Amino acid sequence: LARNFMFVIFAILIFAVLIVFHELGHFVAAKLSGVQVNEFSVFMGPAIWKKQIGETLYSIRCIPVGGFCAMEGEDGQSDNPRSFHKAAWWKRFLILVAGSAMNFLAGLVLHLPAFWIYTALKIDQIIKCVWCYFRLRSRKWMKKIRHD
């Protein structure tokens, strides 16, 4: 039972890391595009911790599913010149795609070290096999010379 509980906790933590990367993609793209970000939140529900830095409220909430990056004018019309809907179409597109791009990048960052380790282990085994092969061949060759 404790083992299953740990798997659930581990899955929630991994999911939370992916959510943070995803929302961070939207956040960074919006900031770089000049769109006002009102709130950046990890998780959902009532806030456990909040901190206002500049125009953005950063928060951690209590239910460990989801997260959001609330941009000005994202849900409707806004008179703010830095609102999401007043940004150029290509900036809005980049902001929306940035979340998925960060998920892809997170996958690369997480899988490349595993691939490198696996490849290094396989190369090490190949080198050992080749070395053993030539060592055995040289022994056979030395025996042949001695017996001739």
Side-chain angles (χ1 to χ4, degrees):
L1 186 65
R3 184 175 171 192
N4 289 339
F5 180 72
M6 289 307 293
F7 281 128
V8 169
I9 296 298
F10 184 70
I12 289 171
L13 288 174
I14 294 297
F15 188 57
V17 168
L18 290 176
I19 290 168
V20 169
F21 269 104
H22 179 88
E23 295 304 330
L24 195 61
H26 294 306
F27 175 78
V28 170
K31 287 288 192 177
L32 291 175
S33 298
V35 173
Q36 180 177 331
V37 178
N38 295 331
E39 185 174 0
F40 178 78
S41 177
V42 177
F43 304 145
M44 299 297 230
I48 298 171
W49 175 85
K50 292 181 181 182
K51 182 161 183 157
Q52 183 82 32
I53 300 175
E55 65 191 13
T56 306
L57 176 67
Y58 298 89
S59 63
I60 297 175
R61 296 171 180 266
C62 65
I63 303 171
V65 291
F68 61 90
C69 178
M71 293 169 268
E72 181 68 28
E74 181 179 29
D75 296 331
Q77 298 295 326
S78 173
D79 294 331
N80 188 334
R82 294 181 52 222
S83 69
F84 179 75
H85 80 279
K86 288 191 178 178
W89 69 268
W90 60 272
K91 288 183 179 181
R92 291 193 309 261
F93 177 76
L94 287 177
I95 292 168
L96 294 175
V97 170
S100 299
M102 284 295 280
N103 282 358
F104 180 76
L105 185 64
L108 281 177
V109 167
L110 293 173
H111 283 89
L112 277 178
F115 175 74
W116 289 332
I117 290 168
Y118 174 78
T119 305
L121 291 175
K122 288 294 182 186
I123 288 173
D124 187 45
Q125 290 173 356
I126 292 167
I127 290 169
K128 284 179 184 176
C129 288
V130 169
W131 184 77
C132 288
Y133 171 77
F134 283 113
R135 188 172 163 204
L136 288 173
R137 293 279 307 225
S138 67
R139 284 184 182 171
K140 288 179 183 176
W141 183 71
M142 292 298 285
K143 284 181 184 178
K144 188 176 181 183
I145 292 174
R146 287 182 187 156
H147 292 296
D148 284 344

